[in-house]
Amino acid sequence: MKDEATGILKDYWGYDTFRPLQWDIIEAVLAGCDVLGLMPTGGGKSICFQVPALMRDGLTIVVTPLISLMKDQVDNLRRRGIRAYALHGGMSLSETRLAYDRCRLGKTRLLYVSPERLGVARFLEAAGEWDVATIVVDEAHCISQWGYDFRPSYLQINKLRSLFPEANVLALTASATPEVAADIKRQLGFRPGSREFAMSFSRANLSYVVRYDEGKESKLLNVLECTAGTAIVYVRSRKKSAMLAELLDKNGISSTFYHAGLEPHEKEQRQNAWKDDRVRVIVATNAFGMGIDKPDVRTVIHYDIPSSLEEYYQEAGRAGRDGKPSYAVVIASKADKGVLSRRLSEAFPEKEFIRRVYELACVFCDIAVGAGRETVHDFNMALFCRRFSLPAAPVYSALRILGRAGYLEYIEEVNSRARVMITAPKSELYSLSLDPATDAVFTALQRMYTGLFADFVPIEETALSLRAEVPAEQVHESLLLLGRMKVLQYIPKRITPYLYLPGDREETRHILLPKAVYEDRREAMARRIEAMKQFVFSDDTCRSQTLLTYFGESAAGPCGCCDVCRERMRATSPAEIEETVMAVLRSLPSGGSVADIARALGRNTRSIATAARALADKGLVRLDGTKITLAK
């Protein structure tokens, strides 16, 4: 079985061997067990369900909240010759029906589904005709009431379990405390014989560093000047991402910026420029990073501090995936403590404000009381806030809380690329009577894109315009005309986020915000913020140990490479180091390696090797390569 899996890995992905834990999880999935996989960023989660999907009969349903990542994975799978589809609220009815048909006929191996889709009656009715082998829950912490990104739509996954009782569940997440991991298994109804696999949260090659400076801009320049290689700088506002990228460029550090508000082609251009090393630094909001497979990022800098160690660990973990020494740097100022505290009040505005946002959002989308069930509505957040003179940050938080309470879903990620599928028989295309511009567009379309007769294919109107030698506006008009002629189905690009209502609009006075949604979640966020403060503003505990303890893992000793450990080493005399090495060796009758002793003492190997040579010169220890033993 492993040989078959390894062959699939080689044929489709080009890898000769699995990464740590991948095969263990795959083997348990193939055995029909419910499985929880805790795999930090860069661990290769997708392979854990994509390979079994090609080995088992039946469909693998993948539930994920990241619509942009969902689309990227489907596109990548199709490029590898693997049949995959996606379902989310931003799709047209025609696209949805096509995906349903492919699943019913067994013509796809993987179906990616957004969590809000699971509560739609039409989806559940269609799914009843499918042969489902495995249910995959990506970003599984979203199902836990105690996870930092709980989403009520994830609770609908139990409907899939009821619909497909023979299917096993694979839950995957990059970061989860023991409390969250236990809640994930409870919420998903893990059956007897379930398995749990966890990669260590320890990153031996990653140095966690905090730099305190009231002049953050100068410190950012200093950090980048003192380090080499590709870097990511994380900020919490779109405006700041552009501002800092400009600052870096002016100071001779090639950079670009990235945030969710950019056009798709801009995102792709900037991401590719950074991935191809044409620019060194990308300054980004947390919209950047998911699914980015660049192993040689040497430095991740947090210019703004995240609200939780889960978020921090995931973002910092994008450094050094190739195993080489790398840095995760936080630039902090005294004001950041207050900023973190204010985030709590921004994230949990007053309940009356939340109810008001619900009422105004329904008015904005023209939804009457008692109507709107299972409908999708374009929702321009900036326009909404301007129209009703509301502050953006609390409005965003109010929408999130209303989502947790099950009243609506605010979806920021949108399917912004245009899509086309030719529906007319090929025999009819030769007799079409088209004007010259439309004929040029239709000809260019068929020459540039394959698979148009079988499925909706993403297209770029700008590229079509250049190929057909007509204005971009003409491409849009020609495709609309061909749609009216029933030659093809054209779905124009969409750039506006949207609201999804799972049920009818309620009267505002009936909007209930339960304790589990508001008070309990507020308390949980307060605990996470305090843990983040402790990590950043405490300088007496190894930062790696602080992280490991938070995630329920015991550390063998100080890491020896974070700023706290390095400062401690600088304050220690050579004689004191020699004394501690002797103390360790007295507890190790057969001796130990330089690396082992360095880890135990939380020091770097160079200082231990220097101490060992000095002790050997005094005749107190014996050196055999890198092994140290007490002299007899």
Side-chain angles (χ1 to χ4, degrees):
M1 189 164 57
K2 187 175 183 179
D3 289 344
E4 181 187 354
T6 305
I8 289 172
L9 182 72
K10 176 68 174 176
D11 291 344
Y12 288 98
W13 286 273
Y15 301 129
D16 293 315
T17 56
F18 289 104
R19 293 182 189 178
L21 282 196
Q22 283 182 331
W23 168 245
D24 300 291
I25 292 174
I26 289 170
E27 186 177 34
V29 170
L30 292 174
C33 301
D34 290 335
V35 181
L36 173 61
L38 302 175
M39 302 179 72
T41 299
K45 292 186 293 178
S46 299
I47 291 292
C48 295
F49 59 82
Q50 290 171 345
V51 169
L54 298 180
M55 297 177 67
R56 304 182 80 182
D57 292 332
L59 178 68
T60 294
I61 295 180
V62 184
V63 183
T64 175
L66 304 168
I67 294 174
S68 57
L69 185 60
M70 176 196 303
K71 293 180 294 183
D72 288 343
Q73 288 210 6
V74 168
D75 289 344
N76 288 333
L77 288 168
R78 288 182 176 180
R79 280 194 290 271
R80 299 178 194 279
I82 298 170
R83 294 171 295 175
Y85 283 84
L87 282 173
H88 54 83
M91 293 172 62
S92 72
L93 184 59
S94 299
E95 289 177 295
T96 301
R97 285 173 176 165
L98 180 67
Y100 285 170
D101 286 342
R102 294 292 190 269
C103 293
R104 179 174 55 81
L105 298 171
K107 293 186 176 180
T108 184
R109 289 301 189 99
L110 291 120
L111 176 71
Y112 287 75
V113 181
S114 60
E116 73 270 10
R117 175 72 55 168
L118 304 179
V120 177
R122 288 189 297 273
F123 169 81
L124 295 172
E125 183 181 348
E129 301 183 54
W130 305 342
D131 175 21
V132 174
T134 308
I135 300 165
V136 178
V137 184
D138 198 14
E139 305 298 328
H141 60 272
C142 293
I143 200 172
S144 172
Q145 292 281 354
W146 310 114
Y148 71 94
D149 195 20
F150 169 69
R151 304 194 184 194
S153 53
Y154 259 57
L155 300 177
Q156 305 281 355
I157 295 172
N158 282 327
K159 293 184 179 179
L160 286 182
R161 291 229 72 168
S162 301
L163 201 58
F164 308 110
E166 300 303 315
N168 58 328
V169 170
L170 167 60
L172 296 165
T173 185
S175 54
T177 62
E179 181 183 39
V180 169
D183 197 31
I184 289 170
K185 291 189 281 188
R186 183 180 65 81
Q187 294 281 6
L188 292 174
F190 269 39
R191 298 172 296 198
S194 66
R195 306 287 302 279
E196 179 176 333
F197 300 94
M199 289 180 69
S200 172
F201 284 88
S202 175
R203 293 288 302 278
N205 67 310
L206 194 56
S207 297
Y208 297 104
V209 177
V210 177
R211 290 288 177 253
Y212 307 104
D213 203 310
E214 298 308 306
K216 282 195 169 191
E217 291 184 359
S218 59
K219 179 54 68 175
L220 173 65
L221 291 170
N222 174 252
V223 170
L224 288 170
E225 286 163 357
C226 293
T227 54
T230 305
I232 305 172
V233 178
Y234 277 110
V235 294
R236 291 183 68 88
S237 79
R238 298 176 182 184
K239 183 178 180 181
K240 196 178 290 184
S241 69
M243 180 193 76
L244 289 183
E246 183 180 1
L247 171 74
L248 296 179
D249 274 330
K250 284 181 178 177
N251 284 272
I253 299 172
S254 64
S255 65
T256 188
F257 64 92
Y258 186 105
H259 57 69
L262 295 172
E263 289 287 333
H265 68 276
E266 290 181 294
K267 290 180 182 178
E268 188 171 0
Q269 287 170 357
R270 291 164 194 255
Q271 181 176 300
N272 289 339
W274 176 77
K275 287 177 71 174
D276 298 340
D277 297 321
R278 285 179 276 125
V279 296
R280 179 189 169 199
V281 180
I282 190 161
V283 186
T285 63
N286 60 5
F288 178 81
M290 287 292 184
I292 301 301
D293 188 17
K294 185 170 174 60
D296 60 346
V297 178
R298 295 276 72 86
T299 310
V300 169
I301 301 171
H302 278 88
Y303 191 90
D304 293 330
I305 303 175
S307 298
S308 71
L309 283 173
E310 287 94 338
E311 295 170 77
Y312 171 75
Y313 182 81
Q314 192 169 67
E315 291 167 0
R318 291 176 183 129
R321 291 185 183 179
D322 56 5
K324 295 180 181 178
S326 302
Y327 297 92
V329 182
V330 174
I331 300 177
S333 68
K334 290 179 182 176
D336 284 324
K337 277 189 178 181
V339 170
L340 283 170
S341 297
R342 283 194 297 277
R343 282 192 200 149
L344 186 62
S345 58
E346 286 181 353
F348 289 88
E350 294 296 324
K351 288 186 177 182
E352 281 308 310
F353 178 85
I354 297 169
R355 294 187 182 99
R356 179 67 174 155
V357 167
Y358 175 81
E359 179 182 21
L360 293 177
C362 290
V363 170
F364 185 76
C365 296
D366 197 25
I367 306 167
V369 173
R373 180 179 296 272
E374 295 183 5
T375 55
V376 174
H377 306 267
D378 286 346
F379 192 81
N380 185 318
M381 173 75 85
L383 178 60
F384 174 75
C385 291
R386 283 199 305 271
R387 180 172 296 178
F388 297 107
S389 302
L390 296 171
V395 166
Y396 178 80
S397 298
L399 292 172
R400 298 270 297 191
I401 292 169
L402 288 164
R404 294 185 190 119
Y407 290 105
L408 53 78
E409 288 270 354
Y410 173 58
I411 313 295
E412 288 184 273
E413 298 166 296
V414 295
N415 193 342
S416 52
R417 291 186 69 183
R419 288 99 71 201
V420 168
M421 178 179 178
I422 297 177
T423 53
K426 291 183 181 180
S427 58
E428 294 181 9
L429 301 184
Y430 300 103
S431 58
L432 289 176
S433 178
L434 303 174
D435 62 82
T438 301
D439 185 59
V441 169
F442 192 46
T443 301
L445 176 73
Q446 294 178 84
R447 288 177 177 171
M448 291 177 64
Y449 300 100
T450 59
L452 288 163
F453 290 90
D455 205 347
F456 283 92
V457 176
I459 64 167
E460 292 290 346
E461 286 105 324
T462 305
L464 268 176
S465 170
L466 294 172
R467 182 69 172 266
E469 298 181 347
V470 300
E473 296 80 5
Q474 180 61 56
V475 171
H476 179 71
E477 292 301 322
S478 294
L479 291 173
L480 287 175
L481 173 61
L482 290 164
R484 290 193 294 271
M485 295 172 64
K486 309 296 185 186
V487 173
L488 52 75
Q489 291 191 40
Y490 166 52
I491 303 168
K493 70 177 181 179
R494 167 187 198 146
I495 60 173
T496 307
Y498 56 92
L499 287 182
Y500 168 75
L501 264 70
D504 292 327
R505 174 185 168 183
E506 299 279 357
E507 290 186 35
T508 308
R509 61 194 175 93
H510 292 155
I511 297 298
L512 302 176
L513 302 173
K515 180 174 179 288
V517 168
Y518 191 86
E519 285 84 2
D520 289 353
R521 297 290 301 167
R522 192 180 192 281
E523 185 180 332
M525 183 177 181
R527 289 197 300 269
R528 287 193 293 272
I529 285 176
E530 284 306 312
M532 193 75 235
K533 286 182 183 177
Q534 178 69 20
F535 177 82
V536 172
F537 295 104
S538 171
D539 58 2
D540 59 357
T541 306
C542 164
R543 300 202 193 277
S544 183
Q545 282 185 315
T546 299
L547 277 172
L548 291 174
T549 301
Y550 181 80
F551 288 114
E553 186 176 334
S554 12
C559 69
C561 59
C562 72
D563 61 308
V564 173
C565 288
R566 288 176 186 273
E567 185 59 34
R568 191 178 293 146
M569 281 186 278
R570 278 193 290 270
T572 307
S573 69
E576 288 174 314
I577 297 175
E578 290 172 23
E579 185 177 336
T580 56
V581 169
M582 289 296 291
V584 171
L585 288 173
R586 290 187 191 103
S587 66
L588 297 172
S590 57
S593 70
V594 169
D596 289 339
I597 294 172
R599 275 195 296 272
L601 294 175
R603 303 191 177 280
N604 60 38
T605 54
R606 185 182 302 172
S607 66
I608 300 302
T610 300
R613 285 192 292 271
L615 291 168
D617 291 342
K618 296 174 185 177
L620 297 175
V621 303
R622 180 179 298 133
L623 287 177
D624 183 8
T626 61
K627 186 174 182 180
I628 316 170
T629 54
L630 287 171
K632 295 180 179 178

